[in-house]
Amino acid sequence: MQSDQILISVIIPIYNQELYLEDAIQSVLSQDYGFLELILVNDGSTDKSREICYKYIEQYDHIRYYEQTNRGVSAARNSGLSEVNGSYVFFLDGDDRIDRKFLKEALRIAEKNKSDFVAIGEDYCFRSKHIMALPTCAMFLKMEFLRSHPDIRFPNGIQPCEDGLFSHQLLALTNQVALYPEGMYHYRQHDDQNHILINKNTTKVLAQIPEWLEILKGFYLKNSLYKSHALHLALFIEHEPFELRYIRMPFEDPQKSFLFSLIKTFMQQHVMPFLCDNELTELSIPFRFFLTADDHKHFDEFYVNYQCKKTKKIKMQLFFIKLIPISKWRREFRKKVRKNYNKL
C-alpha cells in the first residue's frame, strides 16, 4: 500500500474545552496528509463542546462523533480506540494542536522503520536509550500492535499517570520503536488543565499510587518481565512516583513518609533483586540515595544540599558556554549540559 493511502486515526477526548476545541480540530483538518479520520469523544461535557463537534461532523464525512457520560479521559480514549479504522492512531487533547506536517512525518518514520511505536518530540527522544514512558502527545501507535495486546489500554479511574502506565507497558513489549524528535505538538498552558487541577489534590494522587503499582505488578508477572526488564521498571518508578510525585508535589510530612515507604518497599521486593550493578548506575544519584536512605527526612536533607550543588555546577557550565565563539558549538554544548543535568 502506498504511504498516502494508509489511514491515520486521530482521537480527541473532550471534556468542557469549548474555548480551545476548534483550534484542535482545525489543526487536524489542516494536516498536509489527507487520508485521515478524526474521532471526537465527548466525555459528558456541560459546555458548548457538543455544539462545536456537531458543526464539524455536518461538514466533514471523515469526522465521527461519540458521546458518553463523564467517565474520565482514559475511558474516552479507550472508547475512541474501539472505533478506529486506521492503521495508525494518535491522541490529541482537545485544548492542544499539532503542526501541519506532524502526522505525515510520523507516518513516514513509522513505515520506514516498520515501527510499532514512534516517540515524538525532542524532550522525549533525547532519552532514546531508555524511554520508559511517554505522554499521549509523544506517541504515534500502530493499531496492529495495539490489537495484539487488547488487555493494555488506558486504566479507567486513573489520572494522572494513565498515559504513563499505558505507554510503559507497550514499550516493554516491543523493540520496534522509532524516533521523531522534530515533531511539534503545541501544548496549551491554562489554569484549567487537568494535570494542574489534579496535582493540586495531593490526597487523591497519593491514594492512586498503590493502584499504579498493582497494575505494574500484574503486568510484569503475567508477561514474566521482572528479570528481563528490571531497568525499564526501575526507570519508570524513578520517573513517575519518585520524580513527578515525591519530588515535585507539595506533600505534607505524613504523606511523604507514606510515599517514601511505598516506593522503597516496591523497589526492594520487585525490582532490586533483578537489577544488575551496571543497570543500577543508570538511575539518578538522588534516586539511588533515596533507595538507601533511612527515612524520608534523611533523603530530604540530602536532596536540598544536592540541588544547591547541582544548580551551582550548571550555572558555571552555562557561563563558560557563553564564551564559546562559534554558535554551532554553543548549541552542542548546551545540549550536552541538558543531557547531563537530566542524568544527575
Side-chain angles (χ1 to χ4, degrees):
M1 184 182 294
Q2 295 180 359
S3 60
D4 61 352
Q5 296 177 338
I6 297 173
L7 183 63
I8 300 174
S9 301
V10 179
I11 297 171
I12 301 182
I14 302 161
Y15 182 70
N16 290 348
Q17 286 155 331
E18 63 178 0
L19 296 177
Y20 319 108
L21 183 55
E22 292 208 57
D23 281 350
I25 293 173
Q26 286 291 351
S27 77
V28 177
L29 295 177
S30 300
Q31 291 294 298
D32 63 357
Y33 183 80
F35 203 36
L36 303 170
E37 68 171 2
L38 177 56
I39 300 172
L40 307 174
V41 184
N42 187 351
D43 186 42
S45 296
T46 57
D47 64 358
K48 294 181 180 178
S49 294
R50 185 175 188 269
E51 288 85 342
I52 294 170
C53 291
Y54 265 86
K55 183 178 79 172
Y56 281 95
I57 61 174
E58 289 171 356
Q59 296 180 56
Y60 298 94
D61 293 337
H62 63 296
I63 299 180
R64 288 183 284 136
Y65 174 74
Y66 301 91
E67 284 188 13
Q68 61 185 38
T69 56
N70 181 241
R71 292 187 283 130
V73 69
S74 289
R77 289 176 183 147
N78 291 337
S79 295
L81 273 175
S82 67
E83 303 296 337
V84 162
N85 294 315
S87 298
Y88 293 89
V89 65
F90 179 75
F91 302 94
L92 172 64
D93 284 348
D95 49 359
D96 299 332
R97 57 188 180 85
I98 50 178
D99 263 13
R100 191 167 181 269
K101 297 181 179 180
F102 188 96
L103 295 174
K104 183 177 182 179
E105 186 64 11
L107 174 63
R108 185 192 69 78
I109 292 169
E111 287 289 290
K112 178 183 177 181
N113 295 282
K114 302 186 186 326
S115 305
D116 294 323
F117 200 121
V118 178
I120 304 172
E122 185 180 357
D123 288 343
Y124 306 105
C125 291
F126 84 91
R127 288 188 177 187
S128 58
K129 184 180 177 183
H130 296 303
I131 300 177
M132 85 303 285
L134 291 168
T136 49
C137 65
M139 45 177 136
F140 185 78
L141 299 167
K142 192 172 187 176
M143 278 305 301
E144 182 182 354
F145 172 56
L146 275 178
R147 292 190 179 106
S148 69
H149 300 289
D151 54 330
I152 300 176
R153 293 296 182 264
F154 294 95
N156 288 321
I158 299 291
Q159 194 182 22
C161 196
E162 79 289 344
D163 47 1
L165 290 164
F166 173 72
S167 59
H168 177 75
Q169 293 174 79
L170 292 174
L171 286 163
L173 295 174
T174 182
N175 293 319
Q176 300 301 111
V177 180
L179 305 179
Y180 175 20
E182 299 83 11
M184 295 297 292
Y185 183 99
H186 299 285
Y187 190 72
R188 192 189 301 272
Q189 299 285 346
H190 59 87
D191 293 338
D192 294 327
Q193 287 174 299
N194 279 333
H195 78 276
I196 293 176
L197 299 175
I198 290 169
N199 281 347
K200 289 180 179 178
N201 191 341
T202 56
T203 300
K204 181 179 179 180
V205 174
L206 193 64
Q208 286 191 2
I209 294 177
E211 296 182 54
W212 305 355
L213 301 183
E214 287 302 315
I215 290 170
L216 293 171
K217 284 193 284 187
F219 169 75
Y220 274 79
L221 185 62
K222 177 182 177 180
N223 294 281
S224 302
L225 292 174
Y226 276 122
K227 187 173 182 179
S228 61
H229 285 67
L231 179 59
H232 188 63
L233 179 54
L235 290 169
F236 181 84
I237 299 300
E238 176 186 64
H239 180 63
E240 281 284 356
F242 174 66
E243 289 179 352
L244 296 185
R245 314 307 161 190
Y246 184 94
I247 295 295
R248 298 187 189 179
M249 289 186 65
F251 289 118
E252 296 179 357
D253 199 62
Q255 293 175 315
K256 296 194 83 170
S257 178
F258 171 79
L259 186 52
F260 175 89
S261 298
L262 186 68
I263 296 172
K264 192 168 180 179
T265 299
F266 182 87
M267 287 292 295
Q268 289 173 341
Q269 293 180 353
H270 301 284
V271 183
M272 299 305 292
F274 309 103
L275 204 62
C276 303
D277 289 343
N278 64 316
E279 291 177 327
L280 187 61
T281 61
E282 297 286 342
L283 304 179
S284 68
I285 293 171
F287 192 50
R288 278 183 274 161
F289 189 92
F290 181 93
L291 296 175
T292 61
D294 297 331
D295 53 36
H296 73 285
K297 291 184 178 179
H298 182 201
F299 171 77
D300 289 351
E301 182 180 352
F302 156 82
Y303 191 69
V304 169
N305 293 328
Y306 172 82
Q307 283 294 95
C308 290
K309 293 178 182 178
K310 180 179 175 181
T311 301
K312 289 179 181 178
K313 182 178 179 181
I314 296 299
K315 284 182 177 179
M316 185 176 297
Q317 289 176 334
L318 292 175
F319 171 79
F320 283 111
I321 286 174
K322 292 178 181 179
L323 304 179
I324 298 174
I326 301 174
S327 60
K328 181 180 178 181
W329 293 357
R330 286 199 300 270
R331 287 195 297 270
E332 290 301 316
F333 275 105
R334 284 195 192 99
K335 287 182 181 179
K336 190 175 292 186
V337 168
R338 188 179 69 169
K339 287 184 179 181
N340 291 333
Y341 182 88
N342 283 280
K343 286 179 181 179
L344 293 175

